[in-house]
Amino acid sequence: MDATTAPHRIPPEMPQYGEANHVFELMQNMLEQLLIQQPEDPIPFMIEHLQRDNDYVPKIVILGPPASGKTTIAMWLRKHLNSNLLSVESLMAKEYSSLAADARTRYQKFQTLPDMLLVRLVQERLREEDCVRRGWILDGIPETREQALLIQTLGVSPRHVIVLSAPDTVLIERNLGKRIDPQTGEIYHTTFDWPPESEIQNRLIAPAGISEGETARRLLEYHRNIVRILPSYPKIVKVITADQPCVDVFYQALTYVQTIHRSNAPFTPRVLLCGPVGSGKSLQAALLAEKYGLVNVCCGQLLKEAMADKSKYGEMIRPFFEKETAGPSYIIMKVLRQLLDQQDCAERGWVLHGFPRDRDQACLMDSMGYKPNRVFFLNVPFDSIIERLTLRRTDPVTGERSHLMYKPPPTMEIQARLLQSPKDSEEQIRLRTELFYRNSAELQEFYGQAITLNGDQDPYTVFEYIESGIINPLPKKVP
């Protein structure tokens, strides 16, 4: 572009297309692989990379002390994510591999593997087609900082690192009851996870190295190494306490590995706040506009301004306002469009509240190209809404607003002259709240990635949740 014509007016469709199709992340991942692999001819490599479409396959490392349950969690994740599980044992057991044969010989002799040999085994396995297509989970690898650095040098970088943690006394007790099914490799426990089938019970064996002294030695070695490994994986480590039911550990791990880390992609927030009357949408929109410079688009206020300006659409909507009935959606959308098409909305982003109120309006807005990239539903119990709204008052002399509970008037004289808006009567609030919840299910279904929040808490706590939902990528839906 010609720099002399700056600032450039970028059509709003361009960033929307980039965000919807993850163009920035696509190019970033391709460039990253190009620099790591350094192919002789980059063009066929890039074509193959794009056709493979594996930028979001699992790349997970699970670490933890002995008896923390990391192998069990890794196996469950492998089944749930349809990925590949890699452990020292599975790497050494690989057939038709000279590296694996060498590793078995060395392990039988020394009961350990040289760091470089283990890392080369990992590299060889990760190059196979099933790992390329479906991703991988490393169980207990790397074991040392040296292994972590060697793996990174080869261009192998996990997206998520899970570290299980539990008190040593708990781990020693767990290890003493550990049993393994030699046929399936499944792990059981004499106290916590004993199989009901007598056939399986009879073939279970106690693995080597589970005595109290041996477990204490391995724990000491693990603690010595883990503090040196973790700095190799900044910002992608999740520590989960293993001293809780295994299912709870698994779902925490699953939730984490299905999150997407923040990227450096340019992002223009287009935020939609939905919620019943009194849920705090206006306050949250004002906070977002103040902190992030978003254009605060209040549908009701926008229509009032259009009528005050006596614009074409303002005059069309006036009769409906005077009768206190909902105006036609296409007229409201025309008014909204005039603002959303302005350059500051395209450049700074916007936060919209008060529209759409039902699925038909959402479809209309979507068909006209106005697609929010973050949608929040604020849920508030009816009793709290009543408390928030029926106690609102206005001073007819000064115009100042008060709340009999949260912001009472300073004197009895002022309190005596306060007035309540007819809209704040319990009957009116009930009607408006019921109308919202009547349509909210379809609206939430339309915006499939909407985030539902508890709006019945401190407004700044609600804002922190909304802020987190905006600055972080949307999580993948758990099946």
Side-chain angles (χ1 to χ4, degrees), residues 108-212:
Q108 289 172 0
K109 188 174 182 180
F110 302 106
Q111 293 300 301
T112 186
L113 293 180
D115 290 341
M116 181 53 75
L117 178 56
L118 176 59
V119 171
R120 287 174 62 197
L121 279 171
V122 172
Q123 183 185 36
E124 180 185 65
R125 181 70 180 90
L126 295 186
R127 285 176 173 170
E128 295 182 7
E129 186 62 21
D130 60 340
C131 284
V132 172
R133 286 187 295 104
R134 296 191 285 117
W136 43 265
I137 301 169
L138 289 181
D139 174 16
I141 305 172
E143 299 171 332
T144 64
R145 176 171 172 79
E146 290 70 28
Q147 291 178 9
L149 295 178
L150 284 171
I151 289 173
Q152 287 182 336
T153 302
L154 296 176
V156 178
S157 56
R159 290 197 181 93
H160 302 89
V161 176
I162 295 171
V163 179
L164 302 183
S165 174
D168 286 358
T169 52
V170 172
L171 297 172
I172 291 173
E173 180 186 354
R174 275 191 188 181
N175 219 26
L176 293 173
K178 189 176 180 181
R179 298 294 183 269
I180 294 179
D181 185 340
Q183 289 189 14
T184 65
E186 292 280 351
I187 298 173
Y188 296 93
H189 195 277
T190 55
T191 304
F192 307 118
D193 186 21
W194 193 243
E197 301 88 351
S198 58
E199 182 183 353
I200 298 178
Q201 294 175 10
N202 294 333
R203 68 175 183 243
L204 295 183
I205 60 173
I210 65 169
S211 67
E212 186 171 344

Side-chain angles (χ1 to χ4, degrees), residues 15 21 26 75 86 118 125 152 162 190 199 216 225 234 237 286 294 321 347 405 420 424 429 441 449 453 476:
N21 293 278
L26 190 73
M75 291 174 68
L86 283 64
L118 176 59
R125 181 70 180 90
Q152 287 182 336
I162 295 171
T190 55
E199 182 183 353
N225 285 319
V237 173
L294 308 182
F321 252 78
E347 292 176 352
M405 180 177 293
Q420 182 187 39
D424 288 344
I429 293 168
Q449 287 194 299
L453 300 175
K476 296 179 183 177

Side-chain angles (χ1 to χ4, degrees), residues 237-366:
V237 173
K238 171 76 170 178
V239 179
I240 301 175
T241 177
D243 190 15
Q244 57 181 318
C246 204
V247 172
D248 294 344
V249 177
F250 167 68
Y251 277 109
Q252 289 178 47
L254 180 64
T255 300
Y256 176 61
V257 301
Q258 292 187 319
T259 59
I260 303 173
H261 298 300
R262 292 177 63 184
S263 75
N264 296 319
F267 178 68
T268 304
R270 300 184 301 278
V271 183
L272 173 62
L273 299 179
C274 299
V277 56
S279 58
K281 302 185 297 294
S282 298
L283 175 58
Q284 297 302 326
L287 293 173
L288 286 172
E290 181 181 2
K291 183 164 184 177
Y292 292 101
L294 308 182
V295 178
N296 187 349
V297 185
C298 173
C299 182
Q301 184 62 32
L302 204 60
L303 295 177
K304 290 177 184 177
E305 291 173 1
M307 289 187 292
D309 295 339
K310 297 185 178 180
S311 67
K312 172 184 174 183
Y313 298 119
E315 291 303 307
M316 292 173 67
I317 206 76
R318 186 184 300 279
F320 299 96
F321 252 78
E322 291 174 348
K323 295 177 183 176
E324 296 187 356
T325 58
S329 298
Y330 75 93
I331 299 179
I332 298 174
M333 198 61 232
K334 296 270 189 184
V335 178
L336 276 175
R337 189 172 192 172
Q338 290 179 330
L339 178 58
L340 296 179
D341 280 347
Q342 292 181 12
Q343 190 65 17
D344 59 345
C345 280
E347 292 176 352
R348 293 160 47 195
W350 42 262
V351 50
L352 170 63
H353 50 110
F355 189 92
R357 295 176 182 267
D358 55 41
R359 186 186 180 96
D360 290 340
Q361 291 182 344
C363 290
L364 176 62
M365 193 168 89
D366 187 82

